[in-house]
Amino acid sequence: VYSGVSNKFSKVTNSRVQVAIDLLTSDITYVSIDTYTKNDLKACHDLSIQKGDLIIRDRGYFNIQNFNLIVDSEANFISRHYNGINYYSTNGELIDILKLLKKTKNVKIQVKLSKPDGLLVWLHARQIPVGIANERRRKAKANQGAKRPIQKETLALLNWNIIITSFADYEFTYEELYQLYALRWRIEILFKALKSKLNLNKIHKVPDKQF
């Protein structure tokens, strides 16, 4: 049922766990254990959206179609920049986001996501300290795959915290948006507890030989 990585030497069973938390009540509102082939992009469509909700997710759930659904449901979202996404001006012109950011340390601009007639959102960006940016690049390079090296533009963009949101520019400041998005770490703490207390990390046993 939970198929995973396999080769001529062995086969591994994997699954994915999806959890949603109501940050106002700390209630777990959704739990799903799925096959490993059902990634976050597919799972994001299963989570319910209510009018007035604020949806905060990891970048693994970055999905333009789902963002549109959130807005159509009269809810809002806050997300970090996703590498490779294109931004367009309100006039439909492609924005060179790196060139724009290099002009100033702080940016607040209304953009369209992915295409000239895409979803209209606000982009907020702040330059971060050099030491933190360098650490980001170090981790990014350490995690890069041999077949998919990190592009120079992606490494350069690590000099900034970039947030996109459906909230209007006057509703929250960048600092407030960043603090709200930081609440997402509660889900990371939950999964860390599950791995350490329930030994879930020991269930995933990768074979010694992988080709």
Side-chain angles (χ1 to χ4, degrees), residues 6-204:
S6 62
N7 55 43
K8 62 180 180 180
F9 296 102
S10 60
K11 185 176 182 180
V12 178
T13 295
N14 287 338
S15 64
R16 294 183 188 268
V17 180
Q18 300 289 339
V19 178
I21 298 177
D22 185 329
L23 291 173
L24 295 179
T25 63
S26 295
D27 292 336
I28 295 178
T29 60
Y30 177 87
V31 177
S32 175
I33 302 177
D34 305 296
T35 179
Y36 196 72
T37 56
K38 186 175 182 179
N39 59 24
D40 295 342
L41 284 177
K42 296 177 181 177
C44 72
H45 300 292
D46 295 339
L47 303 179
S48 64
I49 303 170
Q50 304 294 326
K51 179 180 178 180
D53 279 352
L54 167 57
I55 309 296
I56 307 172
R57 296 173 180 161
D58 181 74
R59 282 180 293 188
Y61 299 88
F62 195 104
N63 184 283
I64 303 298
Q65 181 182 355
N66 198 251
F67 288 155
N68 278 281
L69 178 61
I70 292 172
V71 173
D72 290 342
S73 301
E74 297 184 56
N76 285 286
F77 68 87
I78 302 172
S79 176
R80 289 180 63 191
H81 163 76
Y82 186 80
N83 294 329
I85 190 71
N86 287 327
Y87 300 106
Y88 292 84
S89 69
T90 53
N91 295 327
E93 297 179 356
L94 181 64
I95 298 173
D96 186 334
I97 189 66
L98 182 57
K99 183 178 180 180
L100 175 64
L101 292 174
K102 284 182 176 180
K103 291 181 179 179
T104 178
K105 294 182 179 180
N106 303 328
V107 171
K108 181 173 68 173
I109 184 174
Q110 196 170 29
V111 298
K112 294 181 179 180
L113 285 181
S114 183
K115 53 186 181 180
D117 59 346
L119 180 66
L120 199 59
V121 299
W122 280 89
L123 183 149
H124 299 252
R126 292 291 186 278
Q127 192 169 18
I128 63 175
V130 175
I132 297 177
N134 288 337
E135 179 63 14
R136 282 183 173 183
R137 278 187 280 272
R138 184 193 67 79
K139 290 182 178 179
K141 291 178 180 179
N143 294 328
Q144 70 179 336
K147 295 182 179 179
R148 298 184 63 182
I150 300 175
Q151 297 181 354
K152 291 182 178 180
E153 180 178 342
T154 300
L155 292 174
L157 285 173
L158 294 178
N159 285 315
W160 290 269
N161 277 333
I162 306 173
I163 294 175
I164 61 170
T165 180
S166 56
F167 283 120
D169 65 317
Y170 58 82
E171 293 187 77
F172 293 99
T173 64
Y174 164 83
E175 290 76 17
E176 291 169 332
L177 290 170
Y178 188 81
Q179 290 176 3
L180 285 170
Y181 185 79
L183 294 173
R184 191 193 63 79
W185 276 102
R186 294 192 187 182
I187 201 79
E188 301 293 349
I189 294 172
L190 172 62
F191 275 105
K192 182 176 177 60
L194 289 173
K195 289 178 180 179
S196 59
K197 300 299 182 181
L198 299 182
N199 294 321
L200 292 183
N201 58 320
K202 294 182 179 179
I203 295 176
H204 177 67

